[in-house]
Amino acid sequence: MSSPAVALRTYLLNNTGTAVTSLIGVGTAARFYPDDLPQNCDMPACTYTTMTTRNEHCISVGTVADWGRAGFATARIEIECFASTRAGSQTLADTLMDYVTGPSQRLRGVYGGVNVFDVAIGTGPRTYSETATDGGDDRRYVTVIEFSVSFYDA
């Protein structure tokens, strides 16, 4: 089965020249990674993780064969936006939210092999900072957003 998180990433990086791609790049050079940032990653950058996937079920009037999975599911996908400043991480998070759920941009359709029919902002944004692990004084700021991606799961 294809991943709704990969579908979300594909949608965000699908068009060059957007506000998203101007911040984190395009194609294989895009700084948008599963789970963790690579070591010494340029900023700004993003990571994505699927937190949970809930399959919808139905109980039908009729035979037992009508019961079971309804053919669609919702995945909670967390995106962490990293930057060298708090304002930078918040700008990146705001840009992602606007691009996915804004009035002129709506993620619907088939991306990365997943047929998406709705996306909503789950929780967020929340911001924290991380201290350098190399003994230096530099900090890395992170703004976390969560999307609920509903998709057909036939």
Side-chain angles (χ1 to χ4, degrees):
M1 180 179 112
S2 298
S3 163
V6 172
L8 181 59
R9 181 187 188 277
T10 301
Y11 173 77
L12 289 167
L13 300 177
N14 198 36
N15 300 306
T16 59
T18 65
V20 173
T21 58
S22 69
L23 290 170
I24 60 173
V26 296
T28 57
R31 295 177 308 277
F32 202 165
Y33 307 98
D35 305 318
D36 297 306
L37 290 180
Q39 193 170 19
N40 300 319
C41 181
D42 290 334
M43 297 291 139
C46 294
T47 61
Y48 61 92
T49 304
T50 301
M51 304 305 287
T52 61
T53 301
R54 184 185 75 236
N55 292 294
E56 300 297 333
H57 292 77
C58 63
I59 299 175
S60 175
V61 176
T63 66
V64 173
D66 292 335
W67 297 11
R69 288 176 50 170
F72 61 94
T74 301
R76 280 183 37 238
I77 300 167
E78 182 178 87
I79 296 180
E80 292 183 303
C81 302
F82 296 84
S84 56
T85 65
R86 180 177 300 275
S89 72
Q90 289 173 333
T91 296
L92 180 53
D94 289 344
T95 302
L96 292 176
M97 289 187 292
D98 288 346
Y99 195 71
V100 172
T101 63
S104 62
Q105 304 288 340
R106 260 328 245 187
L107 170 53
R108 288 202 170 91
V110 178
Y111 294 92
V114 177
N115 190 351
V116 176
F117 65 86
D118 190 36
V119 177
I121 297 170
T123 61
R126 68 183 191 279
T127 303
Y128 64 92
S129 65
E130 298 178 336
T131 56
T133 57
D134 62 1
D137 293 333
D138 293 338
R139 297 187 78 73
R140 184 166 64 183
Y141 294 88
V142 187
T143 300
V144 182
I145 50 179
E146 186 180 289
F147 292 101
S148 293
V149 178
S150 297
F151 60 101
Y152 294 103
D153 186 30

